Amino acid sequence: MSHTKSDKKGYGSFFSYIDPASKHLATSINNFQPENNKLFYTGRHAIKYVIETIKLDSNINTFWLPEYYCQHVAHWLKSNYSNIKTYKVDPSAPNFTIEANEFTQSNDVILVNNFWGISKCNITCDTNNVTIIEDHSHGWLSSACLNSKAHFCVASLRKSVPAPLGGMAWKSNGTSLKVLDLDDSNIFTDIWDTTDLAMRKKALFESQHHDDHELKTEFLTLVGEAETKMHHNYDLVELSETNKKTLENYLKVDYLQLKAKNYEALKHVLKTNENFKTIEGSETPFGLTLHFTDEAIMSRFKTHLIKNNIYPSLLWPNNPEIYGFYLNIHIDYRYNENDIMYMSEIINLFSS
């Protein structure tokens, strides 16, 4: 069986540069601007900022993270806090309810993750003085994000927004976050600039009619350097005014709405496959997220995609194997109907 030829140089991976004023982005306007939100370079900095503001009023007994969570953020937080424990979750079930009464005590903090943008972030908690933080990094602009009732919300914006870096913290009731003194942002302005350069080089690579392997190596090396620096910097820093203005311009776009058309088109042509389960909810998810119970099959499928220029993301490595393996395929604004048809044909070709 033959499939449509792709004119793209790659589907997925990190964003290439796009002007925030681009007509391509201007077709969808984001009206969600949480009152008194604070912007950061990363989502993990947003989480740490919130934790430090909570500590101004009381000592935190236990800081609870989902047992299944981003390995980089979990490691980064554990490098900052020694009182972290985990609780069980179900990343595939939008209606999963966290029974926090079973494990919490007074003055605990629970981080609730909005898995793939389909979670309703349900939680049962009657314990006094428990603080709930919702992480909407993979559910930016989803219903749970827009209608949160948590004490605090955070998001790593660069998962959905094509800015070099970005994170946000806000209180769902619109009140202001407490103010902390932050360090200068020199280290992270450097990481921002490195990522920005990588994104611009990637955009140049994609615009060329030939494959410039040297240029590809350059932008992949740059983004790798930026990621490494990010993982090893723990200080809370202030977002520079220049970077803040750039991020605010990107935040004017409703990226989830731009995904919706692609997701609906993909659902109509994607065939059922016994090797994986497609994760679905009542709204547009973060991407096309596929769940595998067999790691070997997942690896073969991933190789199959990469051979056909589709670069998925494993969400996330190094988690308990009992949860299986979640593979995300990007379906964002970078892709049109022809791209979606190409992706669906490649996916439908796979058999173990």
Side-chain angles (χ1 to χ4, degrees):
M1 178 180 177
S2 61
H3 54 75
T4 306
K5 190 178 188 315
S6 167
D7 61 354
K8 287 280 195 302
K9 291 191 176 182
Y11 296 82
S13 185
F14 67 97
F15 290 111
S16 53
Y17 174 78
I18 184 171
D19 188 327
S22 150
K23 289 182 180 179
H24 188 52
L25 296 183
T27 57
S28 185
I29 299 172
N30 170 30
N31 293 312
F32 178 61
Q33 299 292 341
E35 291 183 72
N36 303 317
N37 71 76
K38 185 167 180 60
L39 295 175
F40 299 88
Y41 279 105
T42 71
R44 63 194 74 172
H45 282 88
I47 296 171
K48 183 174 180 179
Y49 189 95
V50 168
I51 292 296
E52 293 304 310
T53 62
I54 295 170
K55 287 168 62 179
L56 293 175
D57 296 323
S58 63
N59 292 322
I60 296 173
N61 179 34
T62 301
F63 179 15
W64 294 94
L65 295 181
E67 189 176 55
Y68 192 91
Y69 195 48
C70 174
Q71 78 282 11
H72 294 306
V73 177
H75 181 270
W76 193 89
L77 289 172
K78 288 174 182 177
S79 297
N80 284 274
Y81 303 107
S82 60
N83 58 340
I84 290 177
K85 294 181 181 178
T86 61
Y87 64 91
K88 295 186 181 302
V89 291
D90 187 346
S92 296
N95 292 310
F96 174 75
T97 298
I98 301 163
E99 300 292 348
N101 293 326
E102 297 177 1
F103 57 84
T104 54
Q105 300 177 30
S106 182
N107 293 331
D108 281 3
V109 172
I110 307 174
L111 188 142
V112 177
N113 192 58
N114 181 349
F115 288 104
W116 333 136
I118 63 169
S119 294
K120 294 184 179 175
C121 298
N122 296 329
I123 183 168
T124 300
C125 186
D126 299 324
T127 309
N128 291 330
N129 302 320
V130 171
T131 303
I132 298 170
I133 305 171
E134 288 178 355
D135 183 347
H136 296 288
S137 297
H138 289 82
W140 177 242
L141 303 183
S142 66
S143 294
C145 174
L146 301 180
N147 302 305
S148 174
K149 297 293 187 291
H151 299 99
F152 298 92
C153 294
V154 296
S156 172
L157 298 169
R158 69 193 185 106
K159 305 294 192 300
S160 300
V161 178
L165 295 173
M168 182 189 289
W170 71 98
K171 299 187 76 170
S172 60
N173 62 8
T175 57
S176 298
L177 294 160
K178 290 182 181 294
V179 177
L180 299 177
D181 291 330
L182 301 184
D183 295 332
D184 291 336
S185 54
N186 293 344
I187 292 174
F188 274 87
T189 52
D190 176 60
I191 296 174
W192 175 290
D193 291 343
T194 301
T195 307
D196 180 71
L197 180 59
M199 294 172 71
R200 290 176 187 273
K201 284 181 178 288
K202 184 177 182 183
L204 177 60
F205 171 80
E206 292 172 342
S207 70
Q208 296 175 339
H209 294 295
H210 64 287
D211 280 346
D212 186 336
H213 296 292
E214 184 176 339
L215 183 58
K216 185 175 183 178
T217 300
E218 286 179 14
F219 68 69
L220 289 174
T221 299
L222 285 169
V223 80
E225 290 173 357
E227 290 289 332
T228 299
K229 289 179 182 177
M230 199 182 320
H231 298 328
H232 294 93
N233 281 282
Y234 304 105
D235 293 337
L236 282 174
V237 297
E238 192 71 69
L239 187 65
S240 77
E241 282 303 312
T242 300
N243 294 158
K244 181 180 179 183
K245 288 177 182 177
T246 300
L247 182 55
E248 286 174 339
N249 284 332
Y250 281 110
L251 286 172
K252 295 175 181 177
V253 180
D254 186 344
Y255 299 95
L256 189 63
Q257 185 179 334
L258 293 173
K259 287 180 185 178
K261 185 177 180 181
N262 285 342
Y263 179 62
E264 291 302 317
L266 196 54
K267 283 203 303 184
H268 282 100
V269 292
L270 208 59
K271 297 177 181 177
T272 302
N273 194 307
E274 63 180 8
N275 295 294
F276 54 77
K277 173 188 174 184
T278 301
I279 303 302
E280 296 185 81
S282 58
E283 57 186 294
T284 304
F286 174 70
L288 178 66
T289 304
L290 308 177
H291 182 245
F292 295 77
T293 56
D294 188 307
E295 185 176 14
I297 293 176
M298 183 276 293
S299 295
R300 286 198 291 274
F301 178 73
K302 188 176 179 182
T303 299
H304 166 71
L305 294 182
I306 292 172
K307 283 181 178 177
N308 289 282
N309 239 16
I310 300 172
Y311 301 97
S313 300
L314 180 57
L315 303 172
W316 296 281
N318 304 321
N319 270 278
E321 289 190 10
I322 191 173
Y323 288 99
F325 308 90
Y326 292 87
L327 205 63
N328 176 72
I329 298 170
H330 299 276
I331 56 170
D332 52 72
Y333 69 85
R334 292 174 286 181
Y335 311 119
N336 57 32
E337 186 175 353
N338 288 336
D339 298 323
I340 294 299
M341 292 304 105
Y342 172 76
M343 285 189 254
S344 66
E345 288 180 19
I346 296 301
I347 294 169
N348 289 337
L349 281 172
F350 180 76
S351 64
S352 59

